[in-house]
Amino acid sequence: DFVEVENTSLGTLALLTVAEFSDGGPANSPILRYVTNTYNRLLNARSGLFEDYTTLPTTGAFCLRVVHTPAVGTLLAVANRQTAPYTPGGSLSVYDAESWLHRWNGTHFELLQTLGSDIGSVAEDFDAESGTSPSWARVAGLRGASDFTFFLDSDGESYLLIAQSVCDPMTNTSACKSTTQPMSAVLQWNPYEQRFGEVLAVTRDLHRAFQDKQVTALTATHHRSALRLPAGRIGRWTVLAGPGGLSRLVAASRDKGVRIFEFRFRVVSGLVGAVACASDVAGSTLYVAAELDRALTVLQIRARVDALGDLVSQLSPTEVFSEGA
């Protein structure tokens, strides 16, 4: 990847990052600096060239992606895809390498976050309700992290799309057909924890709209939910702006073609100013009367899980009856 950054001593630096895959093993991935007015032997002119600036120790690095983000700063995302070459029919655990996020601090990229065991991965045939998969069990960490895409959604929140896939790069589609791909993770920047994590239930804009005040750190981080997308043997995510500012996530997959996901969330309404509630005789349905919303909301009492099978709620909204509707 290529990026320009401001160095506190040297001014503007033009940097080129190179991911050293090294057959899926340990290596040093170089970061090169473009030096102007330097003799270039290839062009036989003082046209400038790239010289060594620094290196990063990596493991099966598939991508070194750099991006400027308003909320986070200039980030360098290192996708360490695997720890060793994969043998067909062997263990997929070779793809369970930790990836890293670095942030430019004015002189160099320093470690901001390790994407490790706190971010789980599941197979595309994973059943969240039962927590089981016929192919491979849930693993702690990113399986097959191959690329990163950052985007700022219309709600002002920063998100990180992680392209996850297995099978070595030169393995053809038919040879990889029997291998179940991992689902790709979607993470959200948490300004209170200063890290990317699972998607938050309440954004700052939504909280201001509902409560007419700033969201607190406790409220923002109290409820979160894992979001995973079945993108197949994906190479990279692309984000397109749709009508009304709606983001569309586009996955270019070697086994499933192009998949497009609309990035939007269901918003529960009809609960502001709740003054009374009652359940049915069976205890399976809850009715909530809200004075400020002037609504009656019907919720089903049942466990709800996220994409990793973790419990996120005991209630599921089914219908809202409001005055004037």
Side-chain angles (χ1 to χ4, degrees):
D1 211 348
F2 177 81
V3 66
E4 288 188 342
V5 294
E6 292 299 321
N7 185 288
T8 53
S9 301
L10 303 176
T12 302
L13 297 182
L15 302 179
L16 179 68
T17 62
V18 182
E20 182 61 63
F21 183 63
S22 189
D23 292 327
N28 287 318
S29 292
I31 298 179
L32 308 176
R33 172 193 174 192
Y34 185 73
V35 181
T36 60
N37 298 320
T38 302
Y39 179 71
N40 189 314
R41 291 184 180 181
L42 182 64
L43 301 177
N44 192 26
R46 296 186 65 84
S47 55
L49 49 74
F50 284 96
E51 297 181 345
D52 290 339
Y53 181 68
T54 187
T55 60
L56 287 176
T58 55
T59 303
F62 218 61
C63 166
L64 268 65
R65 187 70 62 196
V66 185
V67 66
H68 296 291
T69 63
V72 192
T74 299
L75 294 181
L76 168 62
V78 181
N80 289 319
R81 190 169 191 258
Q82 59 199 85
T83 58
Y86 174 67
T87 303
S91 173
L92 292 175
S93 62
V94 298
Y95 292 104
D96 300 342
E98 288 185 341
S99 291
W100 309 309
L101 299 178
H102 295 76
R103 180 162 55 186
W104 181 257
N105 66 4
T107 59
H108 63 280
F109 286 103
E110 63 179 354
L111 183 64
L112 171 68
Q113 181 179 350
T114 297
L115 300 174
S117 59
D118 58 327
I119 303 172
S121 295
V122 292
E124 287 195 328
D125 58 6
F126 177 76
D127 179 67
E129 295 294 333
S130 65
T132 60
S133 165
S135 56
W136 46 271
R138 171 179 170 174
V139 296
L142 291 175
R143 172 158 286 182
S146 304
D147 207 335
F148 297 94
T149 300
F150 299 87
F151 75 99
L152 186 69
D153 200 38
S154 58
D155 60 4
E157 300 290 331
S158 298
Y159 296 91
L160 173 64
L161 299 175
I162 305 176
Q164 294 178 244
S165 65
V166 296
C167 287
D168 286 351
M170 302 308 294
T171 302
N172 59 43
T173 303
S174 59
C176 188
K177 189 175 181 180
S178 61
T179 303
T180 304
Q181 297 294 325
M183 289 206 278
S184 290
V186 182
L187 305 181
Q188 182 179 355
W189 175 252
N190 187 322
Y192 306 100
E193 297 179 349
Q194 287 291 294
R195 64 193 303 275
F196 283 93
E198 304 298 358
V199 174
L200 304 177
V202 180
T203 65
R204 285 167 290 182
D205 280 356
L206 277 178
H207 193 270
R208 280 194 295 267
F210 289 147
Q211 302 291 337
D212 195 27
K213 60 183 179 181
Q214 295 289 336
V215 64
T216 64
L218 178 62
T219 301
T221 58
H222 182 62
H223 291 294
R224 60 188 89 195
S225 178
L227 177 58
R228 302 294 184 269
L229 300 177
R233 194 180 173 192
I234 181 176
R236 187 184 181 189
W237 287 101
T238 301
V239 181
L240 303 177
L246 180 69
S247 296
R248 288 194 170 100
L249 316 183
V250 184
S253 170
R254 293 183 63 176
D255 60 346
K256 292 181 171 60
V258 176
R259 286 191 163 186
I260 302 176
F261 302 86
E262 288 190 342
F263 193 70
R264 59 182 176 183
F265 304 96
R266 181 182 181 184
V267 178
V268 179
S269 60
L271 295 174
V272 178
V275 293
C277 64
S279 65
D280 63 355
V281 176
S284 60
T285 305
L286 182 68
Y287 302 90
V288 180
E291 182 178 13
L292 296 181
D293 270 348
R294 307 181 76 85
L296 176 68
T297 302
V298 183
L299 302 106
Q300 191 175 26
I301 303 174
R302 65 177 181 86
R304 295 183 63 226
V305 296
D306 61 15
L308 296 179
D310 292 331
L311 179 67
V312 293
S313 176
Q314 295 284 5
L315 298 172
S316 179
T318 58
E319 199 166 2
V320 178
F321 301 95
S322 59
E323 186 176 78

